[in-house]
Amino acid sequence: MRIRAARPDDRERLFEIWHSAVLATHDFLSGEDRAFFARMVRDDYLPVAKLWVAAGEGGRPLAFMGLTGNNVDALIVAPEAHGQGIGRAMIAHARTLHPRLRVDVNEQNE
């Protein structure tokens, strides 16, 4: 796995990661809520956010992290890559950029 800056051609895959992760982990959201957030993520967030990607073999993204200054805006790992230390590696990378990180987590998120 390699952590690199996101590229414009990653966007569709990053949206797929977001969508599959939300379906797997955010059962507290209604279908209507998921549709609302999907539009916002696809149209408003992914095109402009400062994103880092954890890429596996062949450069295929497995996860992404949004970082604004020292604030972790998003850390999304594809469900098939859960439990492999990718999230930890991405946070470690963020700490090399900003030793003191800030993160907000959904109250309902386990």
Side-chain angles (χ1 to χ4, degrees):
M1 179 200 58
R2 183 177 84 112
I3 297 175
R4 60 168 172 79
R7 302 182 303 245
D9 64 332
D10 290 325
R11 279 192 209 130
E12 190 57 37
R13 173 65 183 148
L14 299 186
F15 181 77
E16 290 171 6
I17 292 170
W18 177 87
H19 188 254
S20 63
V22 166
L23 288 175
T25 63
H26 287 59
D27 57 357
F28 53 87
L29 291 177
S30 69
E32 186 175 287
D33 290 338
R34 281 192 302 275
F36 170 80
F37 288 118
R39 283 188 301 276
M40 190 166 35
V41 167
R42 181 180 289 223
D43 299 338
D44 300 329
Y45 183 68
L46 292 178
V48 300
K50 171 78 172 175
L51 301 173
W52 294 93
V53 169
E57 288 189 35
R60 181 175 168 80
L62 300 172
F64 69 92
M65 175 177 61
L67 196 58
T68 304
N70 71 334
N71 190 64
V72 178
D73 302 323
L75 179 54
I76 312 292
V77 179
E80 66 272 14
H82 284 181
Q84 297 177 23
I86 294 171
R88 264 191 303 279
M90 296 200 76
I91 291 296
H93 175 76
R95 282 193 176 130
T96 68
L97 304 170
H98 303 281
R100 295 181 57 105
L101 296 175
R102 183 173 188 281
V103 67
D104 294 317
V105 178
N106 289 329
E107 174 179 326
Q108 306 92 329
N109 194 344
E110 294 180 24

